[in-house]
Amino acid sequence: MELSGRQQEIVEAAMQLISERSIQELTIKNLAARLGLTEAALYRHFRGKNDILVAMLEQFARRADAVRGTVLARDGAPIDLIGEIFLAHIRGFVQRPPMADVVFSEEIFRNDSTLAATVQRIMTTNTAAMLDLVSRGQKARQIRTDVHARLLTTMIIGTLRMLVTQWRMGGFAGDLARSGRDAWHGLRRMIAA
Amino acid sequence: MELSGRQQEIVEAAMQLISERSIQELTIKNLAARLGLTEAALYRHFRGKNDILVAMLEQFARRADAVRGTVLARDGAPIDLIGEIFLAHIRGFVQRPPMADVVFSEEIFRNDSTLAATVQRIMTTNTAAMLDLVSRGQKARQIRTDVHARLLTTMIIGTLRMLVTQWRMGGFAGDLARSGRDAWHGLRRMIAA
DNA sequence: GGTTAGTATGTGAACGTTTACTAACTGGAT
DNA sequence: ATCCAGTTAGTAAACGTTCACATACTAACC
């Protein structure tokens, strides 16, 4: 589903609301107020509140796919591609901090079972892609083989998530781009063969 | 604040509600229904809904402190203590799966600023304790020093959180205790000097 | 031993507010 | 003339909370 300009604005505002306050404050009333509209106006653009969250999730999925796609397009050593994906995600959060508040908060989408399923699908896809790269890195003797690829994947993604979580819990203070680079350098040193 | 038997039941039920459904379904009505009480009865035990969440958080804080306390009491090599803390947390989640749904979902407590502050305090305390152990491990030449202690800490906690998140997203299927042990073995191998 | 007072825990019925959402109407652009 | 994007003014249901009242049990006094 392609979003109109207004729809995009609404999704954006919803994300900001969740980011600044919480999921419980994402109400039609608050959302309309933030956009300078009446509540009824929102229903011209979305069938209901849930559809707004669906659109938000679809956007996340598209972004994640895009990041993976562009990185995997240009070829390179698996371990370097892992680093590029790692840093591309970091850049994404730096550019749009509110995303950090939403994308790693699975709780937000737990209400509706189809939303929860979509969240899991995104996560599974991301993990699978990373796992594939790690395995290829091991086969190419670039990544250590004395630790299972599955665990290495969990470590890499877990570190990324933790880094972003610490950043947002601290009110987005500090240089995430820099700590992201540092983290990847350390991570690379530890997983390299 | 020490909880009465009934208060403990209420907090427990609230945790289960969040776990099985979501934070948005944690309402006084649902909570009372689950306990076989009327809504008004809950106000005999807590001043309001928020106080129930406060009690829940305090319980988490106490548990985390207890885990750290008992492990740090018996002395041993820092790297072994890290492992014991890691596995003690895993055991905690295995014993009470609903905790996994709540404890790593900071979003749940974002509504109230004092709750959010408490969440951050718990997290900071845990991180600080871990960081201290890692630093001591480095000084004792048990843990590699070519990667900053801060990053090693982020990796360890990030891996733990990711492991638990994967487990709960999969409906608590699979043997978390086992994958926890495996993870720690791999982690140990990677951080050891 | 029996009355009395107090405490802890419950109920049912309301409260005012907020929730997501809808129907009917309106002005402007094509 | 029609559609698009907005409005005003509602809806029923759910929200957290409070109130007056009822029950069971304990402790103290006569």
Side-chain angles (χ1 to χ4, degrees):
Chain A
M1 202 235 288
E2 202 55 44
L3 296 187
S4 72
R6 208 31 148 186
Q7 284 178 318
Q8 185 60 44
E9 281 180 35
I10 293 172
V11 168
E12 207 84 24
M15 229 166 74
Q16 285 175 22
L17 253 179
I18 293 174
S19 175
E20 293 167 19
R21 314 195 87 72
S22 79
I23 181 62
Q24 311 214 54
E25 306 245 15
L26 175 64
T27 64
I28 297 295
K29 187 182 182 139
N30 291 347
L31 195 49
R34 163 160 303 232
L35 289 160
L37 296 175
T38 54
E39 309 174 35
L42 296 184
Y43 290 87
R44 296 284 166 210
H45 305 280
F46 286 103
R47 281 175 35 197
K49 181 182 173 180
N50 219 51
D51 282 22
I52 298 175
L53 289 174
V54 170
M56 197 184 294
L57 265 187
E58 284 178 352
Q59 197 164 87
F60 291 154
R62 269 200 302 274
R63 288 232 174 91
D65 288 351
V67 164
R68 231 191 348 267
T70 51
V71 168
L72 292 184
R74 58 172 175 284
D75 46 19
I79 195 168
D80 293 324
L81 294 182
I82 292 173
E84 287 185 43
I85 289 180
F86 188 98
L87 294 174
H89 276 125
I90 292 280
R91 274 194 301 274
F93 291 121
V94 170
Q95 277 167 27
R96 299 169 154 264
M99 260 184 59
D101 279 305
V102 179
V103 106
F104 286 162
S105 299
E106 295 86 6
E107 179 70 19
I108 294 173
F109 305 98
R110 280 255 308 278
N111 247 356
D112 186 86
S113 63
T114 67
L115 290 185
T118 304
V119 168
Q120 195 168 5
R121 209 203 64 226
I122 296 176
M123 208 159 142
T124 306
T125 308
N126 280 336
T127 305
M130 184 63 80
L131 180 59
D132 180 55
L133 279 176
V134 171
S135 298
R136 275 162 45 193
Q138 285 182 327
K139 283 213 184 81
R141 300 288 163 201
Q142 291 181 336
I143 295 180
R144 60 194 299 166
T145 55
D146 61 337
V147 177
H148 276 113
R150 172 119 248 139
L151 173 56
L152 289 174
T153 303
T154 300
M155 277 184 44
I156 295 168
I157 299 180
T159 301
L160 172 61
R161 287 175 66 113
M162 191 66 205
L163 214 54
V164 176
T165 297
Q166 285 170 342
W167 180 57
R168 77 180 163 92
M169 297 279 286
F172 305 114
D175 189 347
L176 177 65
R178 178 179 185 81
S179 58
R181 279 193 304 272
D182 292 346
W184 170 242
H185 286 146
L187 219 39
R188 188 196 164 98
R189 177 170 297 160
M190 296 180 72
I191 68 175
Chain B
M1 200 234 289
E2 201 57 44
L3 297 186
S4 72
R6 204 35 145 187
Q7 284 178 318
Q8 185 60 44
E9 281 180 36
I10 293 172
V11 168
E12 205 85 24
M15 227 165 74
Q16 285 175 21
L17 253 179
I18 293 174
S19 176
E20 293 167 19
R21 315 196 87 73
S22 79
I23 181 63
Q24 311 214 51
E25 304 249 16
L26 176 63
T27 64
I28 297 295
K29 187 181 184 139
N30 291 347
L31 194 50
R34 164 159 302 231
L35 289 160
L37 294 176
T38 54
E39 310 172 37
L42 296 184
Y43 289 86
R44 295 288 167 202
H45 304 282
F46 287 102
R47 281 175 34 198
K49 181 182 173 181
N50 219 49
D51 282 23
I52 298 175
L53 288 173
V54 170
M56 197 184 295
L57 264 187
E58 284 178 351
Q59 199 164 84
F60 291 154
R62 269 200 303 274
R63 289 231 174 92
D65 289 350
V67 164
R68 232 192 347 267
T70 50
V71 169
L72 292 183
R74 54 172 178 283
D75 47 18
I79 196 169
D80 293 324
L81 293 182
I82 292 173
E84 287 185 42
I85 289 180
F86 188 98
L87 295 174
H89 277 125
I90 293 280
R91 274 194 301 274
F93 291 121
V94 170
Q95 278 167 24
R96 297 168 155 264
M99 261 183 61
D101 279 304
V102 179
V103 105
F104 286 160
S105 301
E106 294 86 7
E107 179 68 21
I108 295 173
F109 305 99
R110 280 255 310 276
N111 245 356
D112 186 87
S113 62
T114 65
L115 290 185
T118 304
V119 167
Q120 195 169 4
R121 209 203 63 228
I122 296 177
M123 210 159 139
T124 305
T125 309
N126 279 337
T127 304
M130 184 63 81
L131 180 60
D132 180 56
L133 279 176
V134 171
S135 298
R136 275 162 46 192
Q138 286 182 326
K139 284 214 184 77
R141 299 288 162 200
Q142 291 182 334
I143 294 180
R144 60 194 300 166
T145 55
D146 61 338
V147 178
H148 276 112
R150 171 120 250 139
L151 173 56
L152 289 174
T153 303
T154 300
M155 279 185 43
I156 295 168
I157 298 180
T159 302
L160 172 62
R161 287 175 66 113
M162 192 65 206
L163 214 55
V164 175
T165 297
Q166 285 170 342
W167 180 57
R168 76 180 163 91
M169 298 278 286
F172 304 114
D175 189 347
L176 177 66
R178 177 178 184 82
S179 58
R181 278 194 304 274
D182 292 346
W184 170 242
H185 286 145
L187 219 40
R188 188 197 162 98
R189 177 170 297 161
M190 297 181 70
I191 68 175

